Amino acid sequence: MNWTKKLHHRTLTLLSAGLLAVSAWGAAALPAQAAAKAAPCGTGDHGLLQQLQAQHSATESAPLSFSDIQFLNADIGRAAGNGFMIGTSDGGCHFQEIYQGPWSFKQIDFPDNVRGWALASAQDTGQNSLIATTDGGSTWKRLPGTVPAFERIDFKDSKQGFGYSRTSAYYTKDGGLSWSQIPTPKNTRGAEFTSRSSGWAVVVAPGAGYQVMKTTDGGAKWQLSLKSSFAEPESGRIYASGDQVYALLYGGTGMSQTSYSLYASSNKGRSWSRVIAQDTAGGGPAPGSGPAQLKSGPASGKPGNMVLVGSKAAFLAGFSPAAEKVAVGRSYNAGKQWTNLPSIPGYDNIISFTSVKEGWMAVRGQNTSSLYATEDGGSTWKLKFAFKGTEQ
């Protein structure tokens, strides 16, 4: 198969000025963007779905499926999966094929519309590599040299970024060409840095409970922020933006269920409140202690990723494979009040929000993989793009 980038054209006068051409993935918005948004906006498919499925099925047996999604603003975003990446520059009214090739994406990370990084595996290998693009995602190259085995990456700009394993954190200042390990506390089971100097760590010491710790000097010293000796988590994840900080603590997993707790701070970790404490029959008690606002999270299932918008808004993805539903939970006041929103069908989900109202969600279902958009903060969702398995 020819893996060169293909442009999908439709005879649409309003978009003829450059709908998602290569230059659309530069720093500026499309010239026709304002006019395009004034036109009726449908699913965004316009034949691309059938085209991608036909090309993919010629060489692969597994159906196309989204693994990650990222929007830079309300108009420009990308979604990627097993051997492909698509994008939009008009808020999902139209999607364009950006990439087709051997890379199967696990996570994509674009700090701007040109430079991007991804954790991806080459076909038939299954082992993740760190790859980079300088043309918006059309072409990718594996980074040279020795790169740590990352589970997650987070690039702040074209040079500075962080890479994480379950126990360690790393920093690069040259776009991923070289990495230095950041000192983290012993028994770290999840770290997060918002800058080279400011970071967080979830520390799990068997028999001694867990701690959420904070550093303001790049890991040289760590201070205690949150502590509990009840129901230790297996691991944790910190999300921080401005003054608001969330600690998502994962408990046990069993019978397609995961117990977890979500803690929130509105003052950079000086004080915390327990937002969600979800016990499950398969996963056991929720880790942590203290009263909680809610006894279950969105979709009453497993926690997905979180997105923080500004200093007050937060969104949490949730999915229940057994119940075949996905949903989003949110707070508009740094966790002081939390709402679990209505669910839609699906097995699991990944979210990307660019404002307190506008967001996107990739949903995997039985033999389907779909993109949804919301304009009311996750209360309702509109289908924008969907792949279906060959057996349907």
Side-chain angles (χ1 to χ4, degrees):
M1 178 179 294
N2 180 7
W3 298 114
T4 305
K5 181 184 177 184
K6 304 176 182 67
L7 296 178
H8 178 72
H9 294 285
R10 296 284 287 180
T11 307
L12 291 171
T13 304
L14 291 173
L15 300 178
S16 61
L19 168 62
L20 290 172
V22 176
S23 61
W25 302 104
L30 289 180
Q33 179 176 298
K37 288 182 72 74
C41 182
T43 63
D45 178 4
H46 301 284
L48 180 58
L49 185 154
Q50 290 84 0
Q51 175 187 328
L52 288 173
Q53 285 182 318
Q55 293 167 344
H56 181 80
S57 61
T59 58
E60 299 292 331
S61 58
L64 291 168
S65 179
F66 295 108
S67 58
D68 200 12
I69 182 171
Q70 183 190 22
F71 269 70
L72 296 176
N73 54 46
D75 296 309
I76 298 174
R78 296 165 176 81
N82 48 336
F84 75 97
M85 178 182 292
I86 62 174
T88 179
S89 65
D90 58 7
C93 289
H94 304 82
F95 279 92
Q96 165 73 38
E97 178 188 327
I98 301 175
Y99 170 86
Q100 239 195 113
W103 290 111
S104 184
F105 296 95
K106 177 184 178 182
Q107 182 199 351
I108 58 175
D109 188 19
F110 284 81
D112 58 51
N113 206 26
V114 177
R115 296 291 303 270
W117 289 261
L119 293 178
S121 59
Q123 288 179 344
D124 302 325
T125 65
Q127 184 174 358
N128 285 324
S129 300
L130 180 61
I131 59 177
T133 180
T134 58
D135 57 12
S138 297
T139 59
W140 294 85
K141 292 183 178 180
R142 192 195 313 263
L143 291 179
T146 302
V147 176
F150 295 138
E151 296 179 358
R152 180 170 53 90
I153 54 175
D154 180 19
F155 278 80
K156 303 301 183 181
D157 53 38
S158 63
K159 295 295 184 181
Q160 298 186 85
F162 297 91
Y164 302 97
S165 67
R166 189 180 186 189
T167 60
S168 304
Y170 298 83
Y171 171 74
T172 181
K173 60 181 180 180
D174 56 14
L177 297 178
S178 63
W179 296 87
S180 58
Q181 187 169 355
I182 304 173
T184 53
K186 184 179 179 181
N187 296 315
T188 290
R189 295 295 182 268
E192 181 77 19
F193 279 78
T194 56
S195 69
R196 181 59 185 88
S197 59
S198 299
W200 302 82
V202 176
V203 180
V204 180
Y210 71 87
Q211 299 174 339
V212 174
M213 305 193 75
K214 179 181 179 180
T215 182
T216 56
D217 56 11
K221 297 186 295 293
W222 291 85
Q223 300 87 37
L224 179 65
S225 181
L226 174 67
K227 180 179 180 180
S228 177
S229 59
F230 176 75
E232 300 165 6
E234 298 288 331
S235 61
R237 176 80 188 271
I238 303 295
Y239 295 86
S241 176
D243 289 343
Q244 69 169 338
V245 187
Y246 284 83
L248 180 57
L249 306 180
Y250 301 92
T253 297
M255 300 188 300
S256 297
Q257 301 172 337
T258 297
S259 62
Y260 70 97
S261 288
L262 180 66
Y263 286 84
S265 172
S266 61
N267 53 19
K268 297 184 178 179
R270 290 190 294 272
S271 62
W272 297 82
S273 62
R274 201 180 191 191
V275 179
I276 298 171
Q278 178 167 298
D279 302 329
T280 65
S289 60
Q293 289 184 40
L294 301 172
K295 295 298 184 182
S296 64
S300 299
K302 299 182 178 184
N305 68 314
M306 267 192 104
V307 177
L308 274 54
V309 179
S311 60
K312 296 291 184 181
F315 301 87
L316 172 67
F319 56 96
S320 178
E324 299 184 16
K325 60 182 182 180
V326 301
V328 170
R330 74 181 180 206
S331 174
Y332 285 151
N333 54 12
K336 295 177 182 178
Q337 294 174 308
W338 188 270
T339 302
N340 290 328
L341 301 169
S343 63
I344 63 173
Y347 284 180
D348 57 38
N349 58 340
I350 304 168
I351 57 174
S352 178
F353 276 78
T354 58
S355 73
V356 297
K357 296 296 183 182
E358 295 172 310
W360 284 77
M361 179 165 62
V363 177
R364 183 179 64 89
Q366 184 177 17
N367 304 319
T368 65
S369 190
S370 309
L371 297 182
Y372 290 84
T374 182
E375 295 180 347
D376 55 16
S379 296
T380 60
W381 294 91
K382 182 179 180 181
L383 179 64
K384 287 291 187 176
F385 200 102
F387 293 120
K388 293 184 178 180
T390 55
E391 61 266 44
Q392 286 201 350

